[in-house]
Amino acid sequence: MVRKGNCFSFLMKNSPFSFYQFCCLFMRKMGSPSTTVARICCLFLLLSVARSKTLKRDVKALNEIKASLGWRVVYAWVGDDPCGDGDLQPWTGVTCSSQGDYRVVTELEVYAVSIVGPFPTAVTNLLDLTRLDLHNNKLTGPIPAQIGRLKRLRTLNLRWNKLQDAIPPEIGELKRLTHLYLSFNNFKGEIPKELANLPELRYLYLHENRFTGRVPPELGNLPYLRHLDVGNNHLVGTIRELIRFEGSFPSLRNLYLDHNLFTGRIPDALYKHPFLKELYIEGNQFKPGVNGKGGHKVLEVSDTEFLF
Protein backbone atom coordinates (compact mmCIF):
# COMPACT_ATOMS: atom_id res chain seq x y z
CA MET A 1 0.00 0.00 0.00
CA VAL A 2 1.37 3.44 -0.97
CA ARG A 3 0.93 5.95 1.83
CA LYS A 4 0.81 9.71 1.53
CA GLY A 5 3.90 10.10 3.74
CA ASN A 6 5.92 7.68 1.63
CA CYS A 7 5.04 9.48 -1.57
CA PHE A 8 6.01 12.82 -0.02
CA SER A 9 9.30 11.36 1.22
CA PHE A 10 10.08 10.14 -2.28
CA LEU A 11 9.16 13.54 -3.69
CA MET A 12 11.46 15.41 -1.39
CA LYS A 13 14.46 13.23 -2.21
CA ASN A 14 14.12 12.43 -5.89
CA SER A 15 11.52 14.27 -7.88
CA PRO A 16 11.70 17.41 -9.97
CA PHE A 17 10.14 20.27 -8.03
CA SER A 18 7.39 20.85 -10.60
CA PHE A 19 5.96 17.35 -9.98
CA TYR A 20 6.27 17.84 -6.26
CA GLN A 21 4.19 21.02 -6.45
CA PHE A 22 1.61 19.34 -8.65
CA CYS A 23 1.08 16.42 -6.30
CA CYS A 24 0.96 18.61 -3.21
CA LEU A 25 -1.66 20.92 -4.72
CA PHE A 26 -3.66 18.00 -6.11
CA MET A 27 -3.74 16.18 -2.80
CA ARG A 28 -4.75 19.32 -0.91
CA LYS A 29 -7.68 19.87 -3.26
CA MET A 30 -8.73 16.24 -2.90
CA GLY A 31 -8.52 16.41 0.89
CA SER A 32 -7.35 13.07 2.25
CA PRO A 33 -6.13 11.35 -0.93
CA SER A 34 -7.08 7.83 -1.83
CA THR A 35 -4.55 5.07 -2.28
CA THR A 36 -5.19 5.17 -6.04
CA VAL A 37 -4.36 8.88 -6.27
CA ALA A 38 -1.21 8.36 -4.23
CA ARG A 39 -0.13 5.51 -6.48
CA ILE A 40 -0.72 7.56 -9.61
CA CYS A 41 1.31 10.41 -8.14
CA CYS A 42 4.23 8.16 -7.31
CA LEU A 43 4.03 6.51 -10.74
CA PHE A 44 4.36 9.88 -12.46
CA LEU A 45 7.25 10.74 -10.18
CA LEU A 46 9.08 7.50 -10.95
CA LEU A 47 8.67 8.13 -14.65
CA SER A 48 9.91 11.70 -14.32
CA VAL A 49 13.04 10.62 -12.44
CA ALA A 50 13.73 7.87 -14.96
CA ARG A 51 13.49 10.37 -17.80
CA SER A 52 15.54 13.12 -16.14
CA LYS A 53 18.69 13.97 -18.03
CA THR A 54 22.17 14.52 -16.70
CA LEU A 55 23.27 18.14 -16.92
CA LYS A 56 25.22 18.60 -20.17
CA ARG A 57 27.97 20.45 -18.30
CA ASP A 58 28.63 17.36 -16.16
CA VAL A 59 28.38 14.93 -19.08
CA LYS A 60 30.95 16.94 -21.00
CA ALA A 61 33.28 17.23 -18.02
CA LEU A 62 33.20 13.51 -17.20
CA ASN A 63 33.76 12.52 -20.82
CA GLU A 64 36.76 14.86 -20.95
CA ILE A 65 38.08 13.22 -17.80
CA LYS A 66 37.41 9.78 -19.31
CA ALA A 67 39.45 10.71 -22.38
CA SER A 68 42.41 11.70 -20.23
CA LEU A 69 42.48 8.78 -17.78
CA GLY A 70 44.10 5.37 -17.95
CA TRP A 71 42.57 2.25 -19.47
CA ARG A 72 41.44 0.83 -16.12
CA VAL A 73 38.95 3.66 -15.65
CA VAL A 74 37.88 3.86 -19.26
CA TYR A 75 37.13 0.13 -19.27
CA ALA A 76 34.67 0.55 -16.37
CA TRP A 77 33.01 3.70 -17.71
CA VAL A 78 30.50 2.43 -20.26
CA GLY A 79 28.07 4.64 -22.16
CA ASP A 80 27.96 8.37 -22.76
CA ASP A 81 26.04 9.38 -19.64
CA PRO A 82 28.06 9.13 -16.39
CA CYS A 83 24.84 8.97 -14.34
CA GLY A 84 23.54 5.99 -16.29
CA ASP A 85 21.26 5.73 -19.28
CA GLY A 86 18.53 3.16 -19.79
CA ASP A 87 19.87 -0.22 -18.72
CA LEU A 88 23.37 1.16 -18.16
CA GLN A 89 24.40 1.79 -14.57
CA PRO A 90 26.18 4.99 -13.46
CA TRP A 91 29.89 4.96 -14.07
CA THR A 92 31.97 3.34 -11.34
CA GLY A 93 32.92 5.93 -8.73
CA VAL A 94 30.35 8.46 -9.95
CA THR A 95 27.44 9.44 -7.72
CA CYS A 96 24.60 11.57 -9.05
CA SER A 97 21.62 13.34 -7.49
CA SER A 98 18.47 14.89 -8.90
CA GLN A 99 18.38 18.65 -9.00
CA GLY A 100 15.20 20.04 -10.48
CA ASP A 101 14.64 18.42 -13.88
CA TYR A 102 18.26 17.26 -14.18
CA ARG A 103 20.77 14.96 -12.59
CA VAL A 104 24.12 16.34 -11.45
CA VAL A 105 27.35 14.66 -10.37
CA THR A 106 27.87 15.10 -6.63
CA GLU A 107 30.70 12.63 -5.91
CA LEU A 108 33.69 11.41 -7.89
CA GLU A 109 35.81 8.63 -6.40
CA VAL A 110 38.49 7.22 -8.69
CA TYR A 111 41.33 5.96 -6.51
CA ALA A 112 44.03 3.30 -6.58
CA VAL A 113 43.73 2.70 -10.33
CA SER A 114 47.15 4.03 -11.40
CA ILE A 115 45.91 7.19 -13.12
CA VAL A 116 48.96 8.78 -14.74
CA GLY A 117 49.30 12.40 -15.81
CA PRO A 118 48.34 15.88 -14.68
CA PHE A 119 45.41 16.69 -12.45
CA PRO A 120 42.30 16.53 -14.71
CA THR A 121 41.25 20.18 -14.85
CA ALA A 122 37.83 19.21 -16.23
CA VAL A 123 36.98 18.07 -12.70
CA THR A 124 36.63 21.73 -11.75
CA ASN A 125 33.61 22.00 -14.06
CA LEU A 126 31.64 19.60 -11.84
CA LEU A 127 30.26 22.48 -9.80
CA ASP A 128 27.97 20.34 -7.63
CA LEU A 129 30.70 18.04 -6.31
CA THR A 130 30.64 17.47 -2.56
CA ARG A 131 33.32 14.77 -2.58
CA LEU A 132 36.40 14.39 -4.79
CA ASP A 133 38.65 11.41 -4.10
CA LEU A 134 41.57 10.71 -6.45
CA HIS A 135 43.98 9.33 -3.88
CA ASN A 136 46.62 6.65 -4.47
CA ASN A 137 47.21 7.32 -8.15
CA LYS A 138 50.11 8.84 -10.08
CA LEU A 139 48.82 12.35 -10.73
CA THR A 140 51.54 14.93 -11.40
CA GLY A 141 51.84 18.68 -11.70
CA PRO A 142 50.04 21.31 -9.62
CA ILE A 143 46.50 21.52 -8.32
CA PRO A 144 44.87 23.97 -10.76
CA ALA A 145 43.72 27.35 -9.47
CA GLN A 146 40.24 26.49 -10.79
CA ILE A 147 39.81 24.18 -7.79
CA GLY A 148 38.27 27.19 -6.08
CA ARG A 149 35.19 26.82 -8.29
CA LEU A 150 33.99 23.75 -6.37
CA LYS A 151 32.07 25.76 -3.79
CA ARG A 152 30.08 22.77 -2.51
CA LEU A 153 33.05 20.49 -1.93
CA ARG A 154 33.24 18.98 1.57
CA THR A 155 35.94 16.33 1.10
CA LEU A 156 39.06 16.64 -1.07
CA ASN A 157 41.36 13.61 -1.01
CA LEU A 158 44.48 13.77 -3.19
CA ARG A 159 46.98 11.96 -0.97
CA TRP A 160 49.43 9.37 -2.29
CA ASN A 161 50.03 10.99 -5.67
CA LYS A 162 52.96 12.85 -7.21
CA LEU A 163 51.43 16.31 -7.20
CA GLN A 164 53.86 19.17 -6.89
CA ASP A 165 54.42 22.94 -6.74
CA ALA A 166 52.62 25.19 -4.27
CA ILE A 167 49.07 24.69 -3.06
CA PRO A 168 47.01 27.36 -4.87
CA PRO A 169 45.56 30.05 -2.59
CA GLU A 170 42.21 29.51 -4.32
CA ILE A 171 41.77 26.42 -2.16
CA GLY A 172 40.72 28.87 0.53
CA GLU A 173 37.52 29.50 -1.44
CA LEU A 174 36.12 26.04 -0.59
CA LYS A 175 34.09 27.35 2.33
CA ARG A 176 32.25 24.06 2.96
CA LEU A 177 35.36 21.89 3.08
CA THR A 178 35.62 19.69 6.18
CA HIS A 179 38.30 17.14 5.17
CA LEU A 180 41.48 18.00 3.23
CA TYR A 181 43.99 15.21 2.48
CA LEU A 182 47.14 16.32 0.61
CA SER A 183 49.73 14.11 2.29
CA PHE A 184 52.34 11.95 0.50
CA ASN A 185 52.90 14.25 -2.48
CA ASN A 186 55.67 16.61 -3.56
CA PHE A 187 54.09 19.95 -2.67
CA LYS A 188 56.56 22.69 -1.85
CA GLY A 189 56.63 26.32 -0.78
CA GLU A 190 54.76 27.64 2.22
CA ILE A 191 51.51 26.30 3.60
CA PRO A 192 48.99 28.89 2.33
CA LYS A 193 47.42 31.04 5.02
CA GLU A 194 44.24 30.93 2.93
CA LEU A 195 43.53 27.55 4.53
CA ALA A 196 42.44 29.59 7.54
CA ASN A 197 39.50 30.80 5.40
CA LEU A 198 37.85 27.37 5.60
CA PRO A 199 35.43 27.78 8.53
CA GLU A 200 34.16 24.17 8.45
CA LEU A 201 37.58 22.46 8.22
CA ARG A 202 38.01 19.58 10.67
CA TYR A 203 40.84 17.42 9.33
CA LEU A 204 43.97 18.77 7.62
CA TYR A 205 46.63 16.30 6.44
CA LEU A 206 49.77 17.84 4.92
CA HIS A 207 52.48 15.40 6.02
CA GLU A 208 55.16 13.86 3.79
CA ASN A 209 55.64 16.80 1.44
CA ARG A 210 58.32 19.47 0.95
CA PHE A 211 56.72 22.45 2.64
CA THR A 212 59.02 25.15 3.98
CA GLY A 213 58.59 28.21 6.18
CA ARG A 214 56.22 28.43 9.14
CA VAL A 215 52.83 26.92 9.80
CA PRO A 216 50.36 29.82 9.45
CA PRO A 217 49.24 30.76 13.00
CA GLU A 218 45.94 31.86 11.44
CA LEU A 219 45.00 28.17 11.39
CA GLY A 220 44.49 28.54 15.12
CA ASN A 221 41.33 30.52 14.40
CA LEU A 222 39.58 27.55 12.78
CA PRO A 223 36.78 26.70 15.23
CA TYR A 224 36.33 23.02 14.33
CA LEU A 225 39.85 21.86 13.39
CA ARG A 226 40.42 18.56 15.23
CA HIS A 227 43.43 17.06 13.45
CA LEU A 228 46.48 18.88 12.05
CA ASP A 229 49.34 16.86 10.58
CA VAL A 230 52.34 18.69 9.08
CA GLY A 231 54.94 16.03 9.88
CA ASN A 232 57.86 15.14 7.60
CA ASN A 233 58.33 18.49 5.89
CA HIS A 234 60.95 21.25 6.21
CA LEU A 235 59.01 23.59 8.46
CA VAL A 236 60.65 25.97 10.94
CA GLY A 237 59.61 28.12 13.88
CA THR A 238 58.43 27.48 17.41
CA ILE A 239 55.22 26.18 18.90
CA ARG A 240 54.86 29.54 20.65
CA GLU A 241 54.67 31.20 17.22
CA LEU A 242 52.03 28.70 16.13
CA ILE A 243 49.90 28.95 19.26
CA ARG A 244 50.10 32.66 19.98
CA PHE A 245 47.37 32.99 22.57
CA GLU A 246 45.28 30.89 24.89
CA GLY A 247 42.23 29.75 22.94
CA SER A 248 44.06 28.99 19.68
CA PHE A 249 42.95 25.78 17.98
CA PRO A 250 39.90 25.47 20.25
CA SER A 251 38.86 21.99 19.02
CA LEU A 252 42.27 20.43 18.35
CA ARG A 253 42.73 16.80 19.43
CA ASN A 254 45.82 15.72 17.48
CA LEU A 255 48.82 17.80 16.46
CA TYR A 256 51.64 16.20 14.45
CA LEU A 257 54.82 18.28 14.10
CA ASP A 258 57.33 15.44 13.82
CA HIS A 259 60.39 15.44 11.56
CA ASN A 260 60.67 19.13 10.82
CA LEU A 261 62.99 21.90 12.02
CA PHE A 262 60.98 23.28 14.92
CA THR A 263 62.87 24.77 17.89
CA GLY A 264 62.17 26.13 21.37
CA ARG A 265 59.98 24.68 24.10
CA ILE A 266 56.35 23.84 24.75
CA PRO A 267 54.30 26.93 25.68
CA ASP A 268 51.96 26.99 28.64
CA ALA A 269 48.98 27.69 26.35
CA LEU A 270 49.41 24.23 24.85
CA TYR A 271 49.63 22.60 28.25
CA LYS A 272 46.30 24.17 29.21
CA HIS A 273 44.56 23.10 26.02
CA PRO A 274 41.26 21.44 27.02
CA PHE A 275 41.07 18.80 24.27
CA LEU A 276 44.58 18.05 22.95
CA LYS A 277 45.36 14.35 23.36
CA GLU A 278 48.38 13.74 21.13
CA LEU A 279 51.37 15.86 20.21
CA TYR A 280 53.99 14.23 18.00
CA ILE A 281 57.31 16.11 18.19
CA GLU A 282 60.12 13.66 17.37
CA GLY A 283 62.77 14.57 14.82
CA ASN A 284 62.93 18.33 15.54
CA GLN A 285 65.39 20.69 17.24
CA PHE A 286 63.57 21.42 20.47
CA LYS A 287 65.60 22.52 23.49
CA PRO A 288 66.83 19.94 26.00
CA GLY A 289 64.04 18.76 28.26
CA VAL A 290 61.48 18.53 25.49
CA ASN A 291 61.65 14.86 24.70
CA GLY A 292 59.32 12.41 23.11
CA LYS A 293 57.67 9.92 25.41
CA GLY A 294 56.06 6.58 24.70
CA GLY A 295 56.35 4.06 21.90
CA HIS A 296 55.18 6.52 19.28
CA LYS A 297 57.21 9.46 20.57
CA VAL A 298 54.12 11.20 21.92
CA LEU A 299 54.57 14.12 24.27
CA GLU A 300 52.16 13.74 27.17
CA VAL A 301 50.89 17.29 27.45
CA SER A 302 49.79 16.69 31.03
CA ASP A 303 53.42 16.23 32.15
CA THR A 304 54.77 19.53 33.56
CA GLU A 305 58.44 18.55 33.25
CA PHE A 306 58.30 19.66 29.60
CA LEU A 307 57.15 23.20 30.38
CA PHE A 308 59.20 26.30 31.02
Side-chain angles (χ1 to χ4, degrees), residues 12-30:
M12 291 298 291
K13 293 182 179 179
N14 299 289
S15 68
F17 186 66
S18 57
F19 280 94
Y20 172 64
Q21 281 185 317
F22 169 78
C23 280
C24 282
L25 291 173
F26 187 79
M27 286 184 176
R28 285 176 184 172
K29 288 182 177 292
M30 293 288 294

Side-chain angles (χ1 to χ4, degrees), residues 183-233:
S183 49
F184 296 98
N185 279 285
N186 295 314
F187 292 115
K188 61 183 181 180
E190 295 188 351
I191 296 172
K193 63 182 180 180
E194 287 79 7
L195 291 176
N197 297 334
L198 305 176
E200 301 295 325
L201 193 63
R202 287 161 170 74
Y203 295 89
L204 179 57
Y205 291 81
L206 301 174
H207 56 287
E208 294 285 352
N209 280 287
R210 300 178 182 179
F211 291 116
T212 56
R214 288 170 164 77
V215 179
E218 292 87 352
L219 295 178
N221 297 324
L222 292 172
Y224 304 116
L225 188 64
R226 297 169 57 96
H227 187 107
L228 174 60
D229 191 344
V230 296
N232 285 277
N233 282 287

Side-chain angles (χ1 to χ4, degrees), residues 122-183:
V123 166
T124 63
N125 292 324
L126 299 171
L127 303 184
D128 293 288
L129 275 186
T130 61
R131 181 181 183 86
L132 176 59
D133 188 347
L134 302 176
H135 83 270
N136 199 10
N137 285 294
K138 298 178 182 179
L139 295 174
T140 58
I143 298 175
Q146 298 94 314
I147 195 73
R149 302 179 63 203
L150 303 180
K151 307 296 185 185
R152 299 186 179 185
L153 202 62
R154 298 186 64 83
T155 298
L156 178 58
N157 188 353
L158 301 176
R159 59 186 171 187
W160 287 105
N161 277 287
K162 298 181 179 181
L163 296 166
Q164 55 202 74
D165 295 340
I167 297 176
E170 289 81 4
I171 206 165
E173 299 174 15
L174 307 178
K175 303 298 184 182
R176 299 186 184 183
L177 203 65
T178 60
H179 295 67
L180 180 57
Y181 305 93
L182 299 179
S183 49

